[in-house]
């Protein structure tokens, strides 16, 4: 659903400006909850559809339009997360969150709210990187929603409880459990410039089919995960070990006249492979120290729509 204000719209719908201004934040929230931009857009459209399905008196009875939209969108996401695991089981090969390009529009949250312990907060730019989204996939739906709403978007637990359908104390425990998962999985991240240099060296070694150079850039226990979704060819299981990854990649270097360029993937240095100007794969990296620990390669064209 696309909302286009026109002459007289603000008179016919006094909430229109609020609804339009909330779209980006709702999209940010839904993407982090679902790991899919296309599903996030569907959630926002459904949220707006439910708003306009109400009568004018019902709309006027809503004290805060923004809070109402957030509640509805979060509950739709919670419902979708409940069935997501069943969908993942039917998915062909490994499922990787949908990558997004430049991070500017993904770092919009709830302004002016600094309540709670800053030590418990995950910044919005951190919450969109691929390693973070992958950890979120291991959480229960309730954990994920409570954690994202409170720790990332800074909603108080009283409001989170109303959305999740639990008590504030229970939501606090859910967020705490999710926080432990994040901390256990996270490793110190080097500065962006260092990450970019390592990814650039990786690109050059890959293009040169230099197996030894690739091995030197990869952690000995590195893992590479490909997501083709059964639409295009990709390894059905993660490839483990620097040597295996290096040999796998060099065996496919330059295939089909691919060109690889550096770019920002989910807020971190990454790579995009194109054929005749069309993006065919996007690579996200998790750099730990001076080595690449994990690689996520998304080849499923359904997930590459934002890159076209």
């Amino acid at each position: 659903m696309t909302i286009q204000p026109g002459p007289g719209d603000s008179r016919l719908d006094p909430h229109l400006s609020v609804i339009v201004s909330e779209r980006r934040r709702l999209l940010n929230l839904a993407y982090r909850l679902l790991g899919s931009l296309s599903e996030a857009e569907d959630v926002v459209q459904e949220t707006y559809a439910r708003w306009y399905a109400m009568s004018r008196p019902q709309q006027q009875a809503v004290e805060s339009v923004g809070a109402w939209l957030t509640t509805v969108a979060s509950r739709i996401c919670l419902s979708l997360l409940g069935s997501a695991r069943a969908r993942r089981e039917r998915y062909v090969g490994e499922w990787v969150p949908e990558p997004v390009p430049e991070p500017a529009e993904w770092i919009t949250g709830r302004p002016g709210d600094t309540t709670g312990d800053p030590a418990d907060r995950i910044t919005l730019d951190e919450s969109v990187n691929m390693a973070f989204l992958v950890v979120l996939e291991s959480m229960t739906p309730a954990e994920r929603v409570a954690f994202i709403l409170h720790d990332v978007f800074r909603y108080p637990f009283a409001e989170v409880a109303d959305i999740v359908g639990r008590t504030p104390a229970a939501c606090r425990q859910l967020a705490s459990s999710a926080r432990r998962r994040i901390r256990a999985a996270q490793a110190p991240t080097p500065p962006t410039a260092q990450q970019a240099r390592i990814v650039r060296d990786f690109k050059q070694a890959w293009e040169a089919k230099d197996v030894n150079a690739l091995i030197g850039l990869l952690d000995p226990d590195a893992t590479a995960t490909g997501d083709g979704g059964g639409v295009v060819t990709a390894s059905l299981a993660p490839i483990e070990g620097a040597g295996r990854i290096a040999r796998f990649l060099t065996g496919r270097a330059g295939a089909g006249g691919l060109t690889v360029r550096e770019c920002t993937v989910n807020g971190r240095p990454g790579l995009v492979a194109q054929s005749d100007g069309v993006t065919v794969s996007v690579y996200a990296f998790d750099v730990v120290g001076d080595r690449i620990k994990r690689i996520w390669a998304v080849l499923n064209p359904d997930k590459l729509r934002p890159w076209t």
Side-chain angles (χ1 to χ4, degrees), residues 27-38 40 81 84-85 88 95-101 103 106 122-140 143-145 147-148 152-153 178 181-183 185-186 265-268 282 284-286 294 296 298 303 307:
L27 192 60
N28 270 267
L29 173 64
Y31 173 73
R32 287 167 173 82
L33 289 177
L34 300 174
S36 167
L37 179 57
S38 58
L81 286 169
R85 288 183 176 171
R88 302 287 190 270
W95 188 92
V96 174
E98 185 177 324
V100 292
W106 305 101
I122 300 294
T123 63
L124 283 163
D125 51 345
E126 288 176 320
S127 70
V128 79
N129 75 65
M130 191 64 73
F132 185 94
L133 293 174
V134 169
V135 177
L136 290 180
E137 286 296 312
S138 68
M139 299 180 185
T140 67
E143 276 182 328
R144 188 165 181 167
V145 173
F147 175 75
I148 291 296
V152 178
F153 283 85
R181 291 178 187 254
I182 293 290
R183 289 172 178 166
Q186 282 184 327
V265 180
N266 287 66
R268 289 187 177 180
V282 172
F285 298 85
D286 185 23
R294 289 179 289 179
W296 296 277
V298 179
K303 294 185 176 183
W307 298 86

Side-chain angles (χ1 to χ4, degrees), residues 37 51 71 77 83 142 160 165 172 207 217 241 261 266 268 286:
L37 179 57
W51 170 262
T71 297
C77 289
S83 60
V160 176
R172 190 181 299 275
E207 291 175 329
L217 291 165
R261 64 179 179 85
N266 287 66
R268 289 187 177 180
D286 185 23

